[in-house]
Amino acid sequence: MTTQPSHLTILLVPEHLADDSAPVTEESAVRAAVVEATGETGASGYPRYAGNGMVADIDPSTRTVEALLVDGRELDYGLSARVADGPDR
């Protein structure tokens, strides 16, 4: 069973960097946000996280961002969302 982390860091990176084999870091991100678990489940069925202008549904077992709003809007084309490795991993 996978436990739900209390907080995660979401990195928004240009797609060309996300497709590269190099790890994505905060330095390569256009924007980064620490998000906290809300205790709710999103429309995607995954736990919801929110903070710093971002609201995301994240699969806790794979750390995949399943749904994301940035400042109330969908993610712009050409950007990709990644969850940074952190102490909750």
Side-chain angles (χ1 to χ4, degrees):
M1 180 174 166
T2 303
T3 59
Q4 180 179 332
S6 62
H7 65 279
L8 296 166
T9 301
I10 297 175
L11 304 175
L12 300 183
V13 296
E15 282 186 357
H16 71 276
L17 292 178
D19 294 337
D20 194 1
S21 62
V24 175
T25 64
E26 284 195 50
E27 291 78 27
S28 62
V30 182
R31 183 169 171 180
V34 175
V35 292
E36 302 286 330
T38 65
E40 299 173 348
T41 300
S44 66
Y46 291 102
R48 177 151 294 164
Y49 290 80
N52 299 302
M54 293 189 199
V55 177
D57 298 355
I58 299 175
D59 179 345
S61 62
T62 64
R63 303 290 173 116
T64 301
V65 178
E66 298 292 342
L68 176 67
L69 292 177
V70 179
D71 299 329
R73 302 178 73 182
E74 292 183 7
L75 191 61
D76 290 336
Y77 287 107
L79 292 177
S80 182
R82 297 288 185 263
V83 175
D85 289 338
D88 279 332
R89 178 123 202 173

